[in-house]
Structures are given as C-alpha cells and as structure tokens.
Amino acid sequence: LAKTTQPISMDSYEGQEVNITCSHNNIATNDYITWYQQFPSQGPRFIIQGYKTKVTNEVASLFIPADRKSSTLSLPRVSLSDTAVYYCLVGLGGSYIPTFGRGTSLIVHP
Amino acid sequence: ETGVTQTPRHLVMGMTNKKSLKCEQHLGHNAMYWYKQSAKKPLELMFVYSLEERVENNSVPSRFSPECPNSSHLFLHLHTLQPEDSALYLCASSQGGQKNTEAFFGQGTRLTVV
C-alpha cells in the first residue's frame, strides 16, 4: 500500500477554510485517495474520495494534481464541530484494506 | 447510523474472563475488519475477512480470536486479556472488488481490562 504523509496537527478558527495536504509519492495507477474523519471514541467516517482533479461534495473538496503524488482536503468555513482527526488513505481498490496512519489532528478555535 | 452495529458499546472485564465482541453490518458488504485503537495511537488493523475467509492477521496475540459465521456478522472472542489490551475496538465493512470502495465503521466497543 502507498505510504502517506500528513501534518500531525493543525489549528484553525471558526469560519476559516482549512486545507490539509497529504503526500503519497508512490501512489499506484489504480489507487484511489480517500479521506476519513474521526471524533474521539468513535469510528472513522468517510468524507470524500477521488482519483484525479477535483471532487466536491456537501462536506468538503478534494484537490488532486495531475501527478497524483499529493492531495489536499479542503474544509470550507470550519466550525467547532469539525475538530477531529483527519486521515488520508490510498490503496488498490480491488483488494483495498483500509490502513490508517496517524492522521492530522485539527483543532478549531472559537 | 453507518449500517455497522457493534455491541456492547462498553465492556469491563477481568484478566481471567472470557467475553465476545459482536459486529453486524446491514450493507451487503463482503469484507469485514477488526481494528484496535489505543489511546492517542493510530488504528491498528487486526483481522480482515473477505467472503467469510480470513485474509489477513497482523500478528495478533492468540488471546484474540475472530469468527465470521456469515458475511453480515463478525465476532472477536477475548480470553485472558492483559491490561494493555484496553482500547477502543472498531469493526468496519466494505465491498471488496470495487476500485472506489470505502469502509464503514461501527461506533466501537470501549474495552477496559482490569
């Protein structure tokens, strides 16, 4: 599975846009990029997934450059409830076994 | 509600006890997983079942014994645990064989070994 690198922690304030970048230099051709959100004492929750360019849903946007060696999760206008750990995962879709790294701990301040 | 239900939500057990964690998914998925998450640590993959066959076991101690009787149910049998086994145990399911599959997680079982 492709190894991912994310910042350990980030701080932001309510109403700001937050961008979390993940590096995955050895991503394979068939790999999709998936982001999860986890609150304390809960299971991770799927946020968004993409293969290339840009994907947007009601929660976030995912930007993937042409070389696909990195991706950026963008959270628009964060609120206190967005305080959580965010994980970036890549893996071969056909035999995908979700393997989590340390993730990025985002703290949103009032 | 993710479609993956874990019971119990909390469990306190002594080191000599035997208990089981249960996971049930109503999503029609063909792969199920057990993860362990200790305090302030990443999720550790413990077991993977695909089409009811165990496909991965990440060197988990034998005091943890998984069972997958059908594609909708997954158990983790516990016996003679140690205090360091106290953690949040998470179950997940996904549809294997699809390139854009995603995993759905249960709420977890908070296990305390005393």
mmCIF file of all heavy atoms in Angstrom, chain B residues 66-95:
data_model
loop_
_atom_site.group_PDB
_atom_site.id
_atom_site.type_symbol
_atom_site.label_atom_id
_atom_site.label_comp_id
_atom_site.label_asym_id
_atom_site.label_seq_id
_atom_site.Cartn_x
_atom_site.Cartn_y
_atom_site.Cartn_z
ATOM 1 N N PRO B 66 -10.906 -14.222 16.200
ATOM 2 C CA PRO B 66 -12.042 -13.760 15.410
ATOM 3 C C PRO B 66 -12.891 -14.919 14.897
ATOM 4 O O PRO B 66 -12.432 -16.047 14.783
ATOM 5 C CB PRO B 66 -11.360 -13.034 14.247
ATOM 6 C CG PRO B 66 -10.098 -13.814 14.040
ATOM 7 C CD PRO B 66 -9.675 -14.299 15.403
ATOM 8 N N GLU B 67 -14.127 -14.574 14.580
ATOM 9 C CA GLU B 67 -15.032 -15.545 13.975
ATOM 10 C C GLU B 67 -15.962 -14.805 13.034
ATOM 11 O O GLU B 67 -16.510 -13.763 13.387
ATOM 12 C CB GLU B 67 -15.860 -16.256 15.047
ATOM 13 C CG GLU B 67 -16.858 -17.264 14.484
ATOM 14 C CD GLU B 67 -17.811 -17.803 15.538
ATOM 15 O OE1 GLU B 67 -17.743 -17.363 16.709
ATOM 16 O OE2 GLU B 67 -18.658 -18.640 15.172
ATOM 17 N N CYS B 68 -16.136 -15.354 11.841
ATOM 18 C CA CYS B 68 -17.024 -14.741 10.853
ATOM 19 C C CYS B 68 -17.972 -15.820 10.336
ATOM 20 O O CYS B 68 -17.678 -16.470 9.343
ATOM 21 C CB CYS B 68 -16.206 -14.120 9.724
ATOM 22 S SG CYS B 68 -17.185 -13.171 8.536
ATOM 23 N N PRO B 69 -19.107 -16.016 10.984
ATOM 24 C CA PRO B 69 -20.024 -17.097 10.596
ATOM 25 C C PRO B 69 -20.731 -16.849 9.274
ATOM 26 O O PRO B 69 -21.123 -17.812 8.605
ATOM 27 C CB PRO B 69 -21.020 -17.133 11.759
ATOM 28 C CG PRO B 69 -20.985 -15.759 12.329
ATOM 29 C CD PRO B 69 -19.581 -15.273 12.160
ATOM 30 N N ASN B 70 -20.904 -15.601 8.907
ATOM 31 C CA ASN B 70 -21.506 -15.253 7.619
ATOM 32 C C ASN B 70 -21.069 -13.839 7.263
ATOM 33 O O ASN B 70 -20.423 -13.162 8.071
ATOM 34 C CB ASN B 70 -23.035 -15.380 7.665
ATOM 35 C CG ASN B 70 -23.653 -14.562 8.774
ATOM 36 O OD1 ASN B 70 -23.526 -13.344 8.812
ATOM 37 N ND2 ASN B 70 -24.302 -15.242 9.713
ATOM 38 N N SER B 71 -21.447 -13.385 6.106
ATOM 39 C CA SER B 71 -20.927 -12.102 5.615
ATOM 40 C C SER B 71 -21.461 -10.907 6.387
ATOM 41 O O SER B 71 -20.951 -9.806 6.234
ATOM 42 C CB SER B 71 -21.252 -11.939 4.127
ATOM 43 O OG SER B 71 -22.645 -11.971 3.923
ATOM 44 N N SER B 72 -22.480 -11.108 7.212
ATOM 45 C CA SER B 72 -23.068 -9.986 7.932
ATOM 46 C C SER B 72 -22.599 -9.876 9.370
ATOM 47 O O SER B 72 -22.849 -8.864 10.017
ATOM 48 C CB SER B 72 -24.605 -10.099 7.943
ATOM 49 O OG SER B 72 -25.119 -10.077 6.636
ATOM 50 N N HIS B 73 -21.959 -10.899 9.884
ATOM 51 C CA HIS B 73 -21.597 -10.936 11.297
ATOM 52 C C HIS B 73 -20.122 -11.214 11.492
ATOM 53 O O HIS B 73 -19.532 -12.041 10.788
ATOM 54 C CB HIS B 73 -22.426 -11.994 12.037
ATOM 55 C CG HIS B 73 -23.880 -11.677 12.102
ATOM 56 N ND1 HIS B 73 -24.759 -12.031 11.075
ATOM 57 C CD2 HIS B 73 -24.621 -11.034 13.040
ATOM 58 C CE1 HIS B 73 -25.970 -11.627 11.399
ATOM 59 N NE2 HIS B 73 -25.921 -11.020 12.566
ATOM 60 N N LEU B 74 -19.563 -10.544 12.480
ATOM 61 C CA LEU B 74 -18.163 -10.734 12.833
ATOM 62 C C LEU B 74 -18.055 -10.672 14.350
ATOM 63 O O LEU B 74 -18.659 -9.802 14.978
ATOM 64 C CB LEU B 74 -17.309 -9.631 12.199
ATOM 65 C CG LEU B 74 -15.801 -9.721 12.357
ATOM 66 C CD1 LEU B 74 -15.258 -10.957 11.635
ATOM 67 C CD2 LEU B 74 -15.129 -8.459 11.824
ATOM 68 N N PHE B 75 -17.313 -11.607 14.905
ATOM 69 C CA PHE B 75 -17.114 -11.639 16.351
ATOM 70 C C PHE B 75 -15.628 -11.546 16.663
ATOM 71 O O PHE B 75 -14.776 -11.927 15.863
ATOM 72 C CB PHE B 75 -17.672 -12.946 16.942
ATOM 73 C CG PHE B 75 -19.164 -13.097 16.817
ATOM 74 C CD1 PHE B 75 -19.717 -13.700 15.695
ATOM 75 C CD2 PHE B 75 -20.002 -12.642 17.820
ATOM 76 C CE1 PHE B 75 -21.093 -13.847 15.571
ATOM 77 C CE2 PHE B 75 -21.375 -12.779 17.701
ATOM 78 C CZ PHE B 75 -21.923 -13.382 16.570
ATOM 79 N N LEU B 76 -15.338 -11.042 17.850
ATOM 80 C CA LEU B 76 -13.979 -11.077 18.374
ATOM 81 C C LEU B 76 -14.068 -11.671 19.771
ATOM 82 O O LEU B 76 -14.597 -11.050 20.687
ATOM 83 C CB LEU B 76 -13.371 -9.670 18.408
ATOM 84 C CG LEU B 76 -11.897 -9.602 18.780
ATOM 85 C CD1 LEU B 76 -11.042 -10.341 17.749
ATOM 86 C CD2 LEU B 76 -11.437 -8.143 18.900
ATOM 87 N N HIS B 77 -13.570 -12.894 19.898
ATOM 88 C CA HIS B 77 -13.610 -13.584 21.177
ATOM 89 C C HIS B 77 -12.352 -13.233 21.969
ATOM 90 O O HIS B 77 -11.238 -13.262 21.428
ATOM 91 C CB HIS B 77 -13.702 -15.093 20.956
ATOM 92 C CG HIS B 77 -14.885 -15.511 20.124
ATOM 93 N ND1 HIS B 77 -16.188 -15.250 20.508
ATOM 94 C CD2 HIS B 77 -14.953 -16.128 18.922
ATOM 95 C CE1 HIS B 77 -17.025 -15.719 19.596
ATOM 96 N NE2 HIS B 77 -16.300 -16.258 18.621
ATOM 97 N N LEU B 78 -12.569 -12.911 23.230
ATOM 98 C CA LEU B 78 -11.491 -12.433 24.085
ATOM 99 C C LEU B 78 -11.309 -13.374 25.274
ATOM 100 O O LEU B 78 -12.289 -13.764 25.909
ATOM 101 C CB LEU B 78 -11.828 -11.034 24.606
ATOM 102 C CG LEU B 78 -12.400 -10.037 23.597
ATOM 103 C CD1 LEU B 78 -12.881 -8.778 24.317
ATOM 104 C CD2 LEU B 78 -11.366 -9.698 22.549
ATOM 105 N N HIS B 79 -10.062 -13.707 25.593
ATOM 106 C CA HIS B 79 -9.826 -14.512 26.792
ATOM 107 C C HIS B 79 -8.437 -14.245 27.323
ATOM 108 O O HIS B 79 -7.493 -14.051 26.573
ATOM 109 C CB HIS B 79 -10.028 -16.002 26.481
ATOM 110 C CG HIS B 79 -9.043 -16.572 25.512
ATOM 111 N ND1 HIS B 79 -7.887 -17.213 25.899
ATOM 112 C CD2 HIS B 79 -9.032 -16.572 24.166
ATOM 113 C CE1 HIS B 79 -7.231 -17.607 24.820
ATOM 114 N NE2 HIS B 79 -7.899 -17.231 23.762
ATOM 115 N N THR B 80 -8.345 -14.252 28.643
ATOM 116 C CA THR B 80 -7.100 -13.991 29.377
ATOM 117 C C THR B 80 -6.390 -12.758 28.846
ATOM 118 O O THR B 80 -5.196 -12.780 28.479
ATOM 119 C CB THR B 80 -6.150 -15.206 29.357
ATOM 120 O OG1 THR B 80 -5.817 -15.543 27.998
ATOM 121 C CG2 THR B 80 -6.783 -16.379 30.055
ATOM 122 N N LEU B 81 -7.120 -11.660 28.761
ATOM 123 C CA LEU B 81 -6.536 -10.418 28.260
ATOM 124 C C LEU B 81 -5.644 -9.766 29.305
ATOM 125 O O LEU B 81 -5.710 -10.092 30.496
ATOM 126 C CB LEU B 81 -7.641 -9.447 27.842
ATOM 127 C CG LEU B 81 -8.504 -9.851 26.653
ATOM 128 C CD1 LEU B 81 -9.340 -8.670 26.193
ATOM 129 C CD2 LEU B 81 -7.659 -10.382 25.503
ATOM 130 N N GLN B 82 -4.836 -8.830 28.852
ATOM 131 C CA GLN B 82 -3.940 -8.066 29.687
ATOM 132 C C GLN B 82 -4.429 -6.617 29.782
ATOM 133 O O GLN B 82 -5.131 -6.145 28.891
ATOM 134 C CB GLN B 82 -2.527 -8.099 29.092
ATOM 135 C CG GLN B 82 -1.985 -9.510 28.867
ATOM 136 C CD GLN B 82 -1.869 -10.276 30.163
ATOM 137 O OE1 GLN B 82 -1.332 -9.778 31.140
ATOM 138 N NE2 GLN B 82 -2.392 -11.495 30.188
ATOM 139 N N PRO B 83 -4.035 -5.915 30.823
ATOM 140 C CA PRO B 83 -4.459 -4.506 30.933
ATOM 141 C C PRO B 83 -4.100 -3.673 29.707
ATOM 142 O O PRO B 83 -4.855 -2.770 29.335
ATOM 143 C CB PRO B 83 -3.726 -4.015 32.186
ATOM 144 C CG PRO B 83 -3.575 -5.244 33.025
ATOM 145 C CD PRO B 83 -3.337 -6.367 32.040
ATOM 146 N N GLU B 84 -2.986 -3.988 29.048
ATOM 147 C CA GLU B 84 -2.591 -3.207 27.868
ATOM 148 C C GLU B 84 -3.497 -3.460 26.662
ATOM 149 O O GLU B 84 -3.366 -2.783 25.634
ATOM 150 C CB GLU B 84 -1.131 -3.494 27.477
ATOM 151 C CG GLU B 84 -0.844 -4.945 27.143
ATOM 152 C CD GLU B 84 -0.287 -5.714 28.328
ATOM 153 O OE1 GLU B 84 -0.615 -5.358 29.482
ATOM 154 O OE2 GLU B 84 0.471 -6.668 28.093
ATOM 155 N N ASP B 85 -4.404 -4.426 26.787
ATOM 156 C CA ASP B 85 -5.375 -4.656 25.724
ATOM 157 C C ASP B 85 -6.562 -3.709 25.820
ATOM 158 O O ASP B 85 -7.433 -3.703 24.936
ATOM 159 C CB ASP B 85 -5.886 -6.104 25.766
ATOM 160 C CG ASP B 85 -4.796 -7.122 25.511
ATOM 161 O OD1 ASP B 85 -3.932 -6.846 24.638
ATOM 162 O OD2 ASP B 85 -4.779 -8.166 26.186
ATOM 163 N N SER B 86 -6.608 -2.931 26.862
ATOM 164 C CA SER B 86 -7.670 -1.919 26.999
ATOM 165 C C SER B 86 -7.551 -0.929 25.845
ATOM 166 O O SER B 86 -6.477 -0.357 25.610
ATOM 167 C CB SER B 86 -7.532 -1.177 28.330
ATOM 168 O OG SER B 86 -7.667 -2.058 29.420
ATOM 169 N N ALA B 87 -8.642 -0.751 25.127
ATOM 170 C CA ALA B 87 -8.612 0.090 23.929
ATOM 171 C C ALA B 87 -10.019 0.201 23.360
ATOM 172 O O ALA B 87 -10.967 -0.407 23.866
ATOM 173 C CB ALA B 87 -7.677 -0.503 22.872
ATOM 174 N N LEU B 88 -10.125 0.960 22.296
ATOM 175 C CA LEU B 88 -11.366 1.033 21.525
ATOM 176 C C LEU B 88 -11.238 0.034 20.374
ATOM 177 O O LEU B 88 -10.286 0.092 19.604
ATOM 178 C CB LEU B 88 -11.575 2.445 20.975
ATOM 179 C CG LEU B 88 -12.831 2.681 20.139
ATOM 180 C CD1 LEU B 88 -14.081 2.571 21.009
ATOM 181 C CD2 LEU B 88 -12.774 4.051 19.465
ATOM 182 N N TYR B 89 -12.166 -0.906 20.295
ATOM 183 C CA TYR B 89 -12.147 -1.902 19.242
ATOM 184 C C TYR B 89 -13.220 -1.553 18.224
ATOM 185 O O TYR B 89 -14.395 -1.444 18.549
ATOM 186 C CB TYR B 89 -12.346 -3.301 19.821
ATOM 187 C CG TYR B 89 -11.119 -3.749 20.585
ATOM 188 C CD1 TYR B 89 -10.927 -3.377 21.905
ATOM 189 C CD2 TYR B 89 -10.117 -4.478 19.947
ATOM 190 C CE1 TYR B 89 -9.776 -3.735 22.597
ATOM 191 C CE2 TYR B 89 -8.963 -4.845 20.622
ATOM 192 C CZ TYR B 89 -8.809 -4.462 21.946
ATOM 193 O OH TYR B 89 -7.661 -4.804 22.617
ATOM 194 N N LEU B 90 -12.770 -1.404 16.990
ATOM 195 C CA LEU B 90 -13.652 -0.947 15.924
ATOM 196 C C LEU B 90 -13.826 -2.016 14.867
ATOM 197 O O LEU B 90 -12.869 -2.680 14.473
ATOM 198 C CB LEU B 90 -13.080 0.312 15.270
ATOM 199 C CG LEU B 90 -13.094 1.566 16.133
ATOM 200 C CD1 LEU B 90 -12.092 2.584 15.625
ATOM 201 C CD2 LEU B 90 -14.482 2.174 16.161
ATOM 202 N N CYS B 91 -15.040 -2.144 14.421
ATOM 203 C CA CYS B 91 -15.377 -3.050 13.332
ATOM 204 C C CYS B 91 -15.715 -2.209 12.108
ATOM 205 O O CYS B 91 -16.265 -1.103 12.226
ATOM 206 C CB CYS B 91 -16.566 -3.907 13.735
ATOM 207 S SG CYS B 91 -17.262 -4.926 12.420
ATOM 208 N N ALA B 92 -15.365 -2.707 10.949
ATOM 209 C CA ALA B 92 -15.696 -1.999 9.714
ATOM 210 C C ALA B 92 -16.075 -3.005 8.640
ATOM 211 O O ALA B 92 -15.736 -4.191 8.726
ATOM 212 C CB ALA B 92 -14.515 -1.154 9.236
ATOM 213 N N SER B 93 -16.766 -2.530 7.631
ATOM 214 C CA SER B 93 -17.090 -3.379 6.485
ATOM 215 C C SER B 93 -16.921 -2.575 5.206
ATOM 216 O O SER B 93 -16.957 -1.342 5.223
ATOM 217 C CB SER B 93 -18.516 -3.921 6.586
ATOM 218 O OG SER B 93 -19.472 -2.900 6.362
ATOM 219 N N SER B 94 -16.720 -3.286 4.117
ATOM 220 C CA SER B 94 -16.626 -2.642 2.811
ATOM 221 C C SER B 94 -16.978 -3.663 1.734
ATOM 222 O O SER B 94 -17.084 -4.861 2.004
ATOM 223 C CB SER B 94 -15.227 -2.077 2.564
ATOM 224 O OG SER B 94 -14.295 -3.122 2.383
ATOM 225 N N GLN B 95 -17.139 -3.144 0.534
ATOM 226 C CA GLN B 95 -17.415 -4.027 -0.584
ATOM 227 C C GLN B 95 -16.114 -4.238 -1.336
ATOM 228 O O GLN B 95 -15.635 -3.345 -2.032
ATOM 229 C CB GLN B 95 -18.486 -3.418 -1.498
ATOM 230 C CG GLN B 95 -18.949 -4.342 -2.605
ATOM 231 C CD GLN B 95 -19.575 -5.627 -2.084
ATOM 232 O OE1 GLN B 95 -20.077 -5.697 -0.956
ATOM 233 N NE2 GLN B 95 -19.536 -6.674 -2.893
#
